[in-house]
Amino acid sequence: MVESFSPRIVAFCCDKSGYVAADMVGKLRLSLPESLDIVRVPCAGRIDALHLLQALEKGADGVLIFACHEENCQSLTGNIRAKARMGYLHGIMERIGLEKERLDLCNLATNNGAKFAETVLQKFDELKKLGPSPVE
Amino acid sequence: MKSGSNLEKILEKGLFAVTGELGPPKGNDIEVVKKKAEFLKGYVDAINITDNQTAIVRMSSIAAGALLVQMGLEPVIQMVTRDRNRIAMQSDIFGATALGVKNILCLTGDHQSFGNQVDSKNVHDMDSIQLIDCVRIMRDGGTILGGEEQIEGQIKMFIGAAANPFGDPFEFRVIRLAKKINAGVDFIQTQCIYDMKRFKEWMRMAGDMGLIEKVHILAGVTPLKSAGMARYMNKNVSGITIPDEFINRMAKAQKPAEEGIKICVEQIEELKEMDGIHGVHIMAIEWEHKMGQITEMAGLLPRPAVS
Amino acid sequence: MIKAEQKPVDEILDFLKPHRKILLAGCNACVAVCHAGGEKEVGILSSALKMARKKAGQKIEILEDCSTRQCEPEFVQELKEKAEEVEAVLSIACGVGVQTVARMFSDIPVYPGLNTTFMGETDELGVWIERCQACGNCVLHVTGGVCPVARCAKQLLNGPCGGSQDGECEIGNDVPCAWQQIYDRLKTIGQLHRMEEIIPVKKWGRESRDKGPRTISREDLKL
């Protein structure tokens, strides 16, 4: 069972960092899990707590936010806001018994294609060990 | 005479008054009250009984005060507005006077978050100034608050209040004293004084406003027990600043306790000479057995017998 | 405006235990402004509740809605159709809204999803502070526009007490002393003499909630 389980990951990617890095993954000829869904957003600050939680509710085993490095957001504090919202949701997840690891954030730059791939694959392995989302 | 209390008589005669303080037990052990009272007997004119001080539940100040009356001593019952509404406070004033209590100290009270009932609801139906006004109406008007109805009997209370010259905003502190005087206070006991400079400044301001002729001011003092206590109070007790000079003296002393008493006696001697100071209120907290020594050294004995 | 905070999700889950289909009703007025009970919060709470119940193997169906103002019967009436379909309503309006819903849909249980905390102002984004306790007889003209009833830890009317130190209340935690603020304001506007007046005892029993629910009745507005 566990071997055949391929975790579904939804990655919200900031257009100014995460999305460009994701694009680079192909150029670097690195591979990503097929079960990865990428959602392009203009800024990590645009990702609402509602979107993150609904991704989990609608079937994601894990959700990743790819945001710019702190102090490097083109909209000043979008990345900080995303982090704060993740913190808020971790509180709710804890109370409803959903592992906090299912929602994570990675700060990177446009040229971090390798880091993007590495983060997704690490989360993929982590979720595999964690098992399918209990709300599935 | 407003109340006929010993304290009132002493002050009205222009004698220098001495009051002490007694914290009732955290329970109903009468022996604790008796033991502490014995330490104070003969050294003071009246004894303040604290009312659930720092919001720690203790025997009621009126009950402990009544025990003192039975012992032939004179209590000043403290009453905080934190725990009772105007119905309960007026009822308790009826009861206290019926039991022979003749002095009351009207206080706001420490916030309940300091005590051992942090989840309780504070009342503050009245504040301390409104309570002074209320007791005055009961005594001089013979009615209860806002009432036309005559009180059955007479409320003979000598009305006191606290003043903290060390609270902020400093310029307001004398205005607050004026408000208490206007509300009808007869005597004031101050917060314990260490910063004599600020206290003198406060007295000067009170003098300028013509307040010191209108009320009996008893200066509050507390002997320091150790340098550690001095530092702790300086840092943690709101409204108390202890000059470095005293902290250093305490730290260098071979016998800190003796040094603390020495400082206290020096302060009393300085206060005795000040215009408008009609007495001292010595708060020897959990050090009641030192009262004899302090009053003796300060030349306050024997206490006068007045009639 | 009225400020509120969401109750912990586990507490809500606990009282929803017996129900399999509910209406989650928000309010687009005050509680939406403080991000506790608006449309978005309806979505987030709904999502969290559904996941928790799914995980526990007791699925719950949640209809969602958000009234313009849940304290007005005519807007609550709009929830009627949905309310008839469900076993219970979870309202994330303030305590007023919850009661309007309870009164309008008297045959089903209504649960509060928020703790209504106070009437206050926005200090900064995400921070709200209490400013009014609706005591029923405003004294702000005497106190320089700073309310001692809502802002003094002892509700003193003739403060500050002896515990005021360097502008801070004796209870600590960086709580400012309301009476220091009143003093500063009155000094600035040249009305320090107000501090000398004795403010008499308040008529809590006649003007405040102590006499039961207060009502305002305006003949000119009645139909």
Side-chain angles (χ1 to χ4, degrees), chain A residues 48-50 53-54 56-57 81 88 92 95-98 134-136, chain C residues 6 8-10 13 40 43-44 46-48 50-52 54-55 125:
Chain A
D48 202 276
L50 182 63
L53 204 60
Q54 284 189 339
L56 287 167
E57 189 201 340
R81 280 164 180 263
Y88 174 72
I92 292 181
R95 286 190 181 267
I96 62 175
L98 209 55
V135 299
E136 260 311 277
Chain C
Q6 193 187 292
V9 184
D10 42 359
L13 281 165
K40 194 185 285 176
I44 293 172
S46 170
S47 208
K50 280 186 279 186
M51 279 195 277
K54 209 165 167 187
K55 189 172 160 275
L125 201 62

Side-chain angles (χ1 to χ4, degrees), chain C:
Chain C
M1 262 187 179
I2 291 170
K3 303 299 171 198
E5 271 184 305
Q6 193 187 292
K7 277 181 177 290
V9 184
D10 42 359
E11 189 186 331
I12 299 173
L13 281 165
D14 194 49
F15 53 59
L16 288 183
K17 252 181 203 156
H19 306 297
R20 278 163 307 171
K21 188 175 182 183
I22 63 156
L23 165 62
L24 174 47
C27 173
N28 262 326
C30 311
V31 291
V33 177
C34 63
H35 302 264
E39 222 165 306
K40 194 185 285 176
E41 291 74 31
V42 167
I44 293 172
L45 182 58
S46 170
S47 208
L49 292 173
K50 280 186 279 186
M51 279 195 277
R53 287 288 291 262
K54 209 165 167 187
K55 189 172 160 275
Q58 301 159 316
K59 280 194 184 178
I60 187 165
E61 194 183 335
I62 302 181
L63 307 184
E64 298 173 15
D65 210 319
C66 200
S67 306
T68 307
R69 283 196 295 278
Q70 230 184 76
C71 54
E72 306 248 4
E74 58 180 290
F75 292 120
V76 175
Q77 191 60 36
E78 292 169 4
L79 301 173
K80 194 170 185 281
E81 242 170 69
K82 282 179 182 162
E84 277 167 357
E85 277 184 58
V86 297
E87 297 163 26
V89 181
L90 173 63
S91 161
I92 56 169
C94 70
V96 180
V98 178
Q99 293 181 63
T100 309
V101 172
R103 184 169 62 83
M104 303 278 293
F105 311 126
S106 54
D107 53 345
I108 52 169
V110 176
Y111 302 104
L114 304 184
N115 289 323
T116 307
T117 38
F118 53 77
M119 278 184 278
E121 68 168 309
T122 306
D123 189 40
E124 57 180 278
L125 201 62
V127 181
W128 299 278
I129 311 185
E130 180 162 26
R131 288 293 180 248
C132 176
Q133 288 197 345
C135 74
N137 193 350
C138 194
V139 294
L140 286 168
H141 57 297
V142 195
T143 58
V146 176
C147 179
V149 178
R151 295 165 73 167
C152 167
K154 301 176 183 173
Q155 304 193 333
L156 301 181
L157 292 169
N158 291 286
C161 70
S164 176
Q165 204 76 48
D166 301 321
E168 221 182 275
C169 173
E170 70 176 24
I171 63 169
N173 305 322
D174 294 323
V175 175
C177 168
W179 277 98
Q180 173 77 53
Q181 293 175 317
I182 292 168
Y183 178 85
D184 294 341
R185 260 290 283 170
L186 290 175
K187 198 172 180 182
T188 307
I189 60 175
Q191 292 188 5
L192 212 47
H193 62 274
R194 293 266 191 210
M195 293 284 279
E196 295 165 26
E197 295 164 23
I198 294 176
I199 302 182
V201 283
K202 257 182 107 60
K203 296 171 182 169
W204 301 110
R206 263 181 282 180
E207 290 164 351
S208 297
R209 66 179 186 284
D210 299 41
K211 68 164 184 185
R214 290 170 280 182
T215 51
I216 297 172
S217 180
R218 282 271 304 271
E219 293 308 318
D220 57 325
L221 297 175
K222 286 183 181 171
L223 289 175

Side-chain angles (χ1 to χ4, degrees), chain B residues 16-72:
Chain B
F16 195 79
V18 180
T19 51
E21 195 154 297
L22 187 156
K26 295 177 195 170
N28 61 359
D29 189 350
I30 297 172
E31 292 312 312
V32 176
V33 180
K34 285 187 174 165
K35 198 176 157 199
K36 286 184 175 178
E38 284 299 336
F39 285 132
L40 299 169
K41 200 171 183 174
Y43 306 130
V44 293
D45 305 315
I47 300 166
N48 279 39
I49 312 290
T50 55
D51 180 7
N52 299 296
Q53 195 171 12
T54 62
I56 304 272
V57 182
R58 288 174 183 270
M59 181 191 287
S60 103
S61 62
I62 294 170
L67 291 171
L68 255 64
V69 171
Q70 284 172 20
M71 293 175 72

